[in-house]
DNA sequence: CCGGTGAGTTAGACAAAGTCCAATTCTTGT
DNA sequence: ACAAGAATTGGACTTTGTCTAACTCACCGG
């Protein structure tokens, strides 16, 4: 599911494929995320979706992002202390995070190897391994 | 500076070593962090410092944590979408993060190798590499 | 001592991100 | 077309963190 759905119908199909009933609001939100393929936070999505005409409430943006997360249509990035970013790329990959600008850049997973991690405590299972390289402008 | 300062005087010395004027409030906050050596968030620190007698305001807790961060006495962990954790261990290491319980556990850095990271964009320098293994209770 | 100066602390107002709820509006199946 | 459940909504609310102007305290020179 790493394609670029250009039309609303393609987005609706993508949603159905993830067991999400495609409503007008959900289609617009998914369209914004998959059109840009950028790391966006809730209020950017809210602004983009409502740029032309007011169509979607704040509550629905948050409800929908939580649903997308649950259905594995997007993934959550916790790197900024004040807001969550949503990543339309759910394939394993890592990130550069520029602490000055707040900019997030993808690092493809295939080149990176993380070795020597200790065994997990019993009764616990790994959900994912995130590598975040914090960067800043050279002194 | 990975020792356990048991006395207020030892904490004061630790602060002076980091160019921090040791005030009563700063000593109490550092004492709580270095006594427990746990990952604590601001309001836990606020509660612990004020457990016996009210001694320190919310503003001072936040001011002080920012100062400690700046002076590299503690490090910040961005892992929970709703609050920042402060880590008294500033030596390089990584973390397990249990998404169910919110619990953070250290992973010593020496065993872990991260290989194959791409070169940094020009004009940018790495500040650190964080590896976070998200875990949850087995199905 | 004592008064001045600057650093540190404080209460409380404020801001931003996110949650919750009851009322309303869609969607879907029949 | 209709009923029933699902989704959406405005707005109140909560939580985390920031800001500011007043106050306090430690320290120093006289
Ligand atoms: Mn808390
Ligand atoms: Mn917040
Ligand atoms: Zn990404
Ligand atoms: Zn740690």
């Amino acid at each position: 599911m790493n394609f670029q759905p250009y039309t609303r119908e393609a987005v609706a199909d993508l949603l159905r494929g993830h067991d999400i009933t495609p409503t007008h609001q959900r289609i617009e939100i998914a369209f914004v995320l998959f059109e840009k393929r950028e790391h966006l936070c809730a209020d950017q999505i809210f602004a983009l979706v409502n740029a032309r005409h007011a169509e979607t409430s704040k509550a629905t943006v948050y409800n929908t992002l939580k649903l997308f997360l649950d259905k594995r249509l997007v993934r959550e990035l916790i790197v900024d202390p004040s807001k969550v970013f949503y990543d339309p790329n759910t394939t394993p990959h890592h990130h550069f995070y520029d602490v000055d600008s707040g900019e997030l850049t993808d690092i493809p997973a295939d080149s990176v190897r993380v070795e020597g991690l200790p065994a997990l405590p019993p009764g616990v299972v790994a959900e994912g391994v995130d590598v975040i390289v914090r960067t800043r402008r050279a002194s």
Side-chain angles (χ1 to χ4, degrees), chain A:
Chain A
M1 72 223 39
N2 212 359
F3 69 104
Q4 219 135 336
Y6 287 109
T7 70
R8 259 88 180 158
E9 234 343 285
V11 171
D13 286 341
L14 179 65
L15 296 187
R16 282 185 206 101
H18 283 258
D19 284 314
I20 299 168
T21 315
T23 65
H24 179 52
Q25 289 88 339
R26 289 171 179 174
I27 289 171
E28 290 307 312
I29 291 170
F31 192 83
V32 158
L33 275 162
F34 285 95
E35 184 191 38
K36 310 214 129 210
R37 300 207 66 75
E38 269 169 30
H39 308 91
L40 300 173
C41 64
D43 71 306
Q44 290 176 304
I45 292 167
F46 178 80
L48 287 167
V49 163
N50 291 310
R52 295 186 172 227
H53 312 294
E55 338 194 40
T56 305
S57 71
K58 187 177 64 151
T60 295
V61 170
Y62 281 103
N63 289 345
T64 300
L65 289 172
K66 201 165 286 180
L67 177 71
F68 285 4
L69 210 54
D70 205 59
K71 301 293 190 183
R72 305 276 143 88
L73 187 65
V74 299
R75 119 205 243 210
E76 206 180 24
L77 287 181
I78 317 292
V79 280
D80 181 300
S82 72
K83 55 188 144 195
V84 173
F85 284 93
Y86 294 89
D87 192 336
N89 182 357
T90 55
T91 66
H93 68 284
H94 305 295
H95 295 91
F96 286 120
Y97 177 63
D98 192 291
V99 295
D100 292 323
S101 66
E103 206 184 336
L104 275 166
T105 318
D106 282 348
I107 302 175
D110 42 37
S111 63
V112 179
R113 279 175 313 287
V114 181
E115 280 162 19
L117 286 174
L120 293 169
V124 157
V125 64
E127 218 193 47
V129 177
D130 292 338
V131 178
I132 294 149
V133 182
R134 275 172 295 108
T135 64
R136 62 183 158 70
R137 283 187 284 276
S139 74

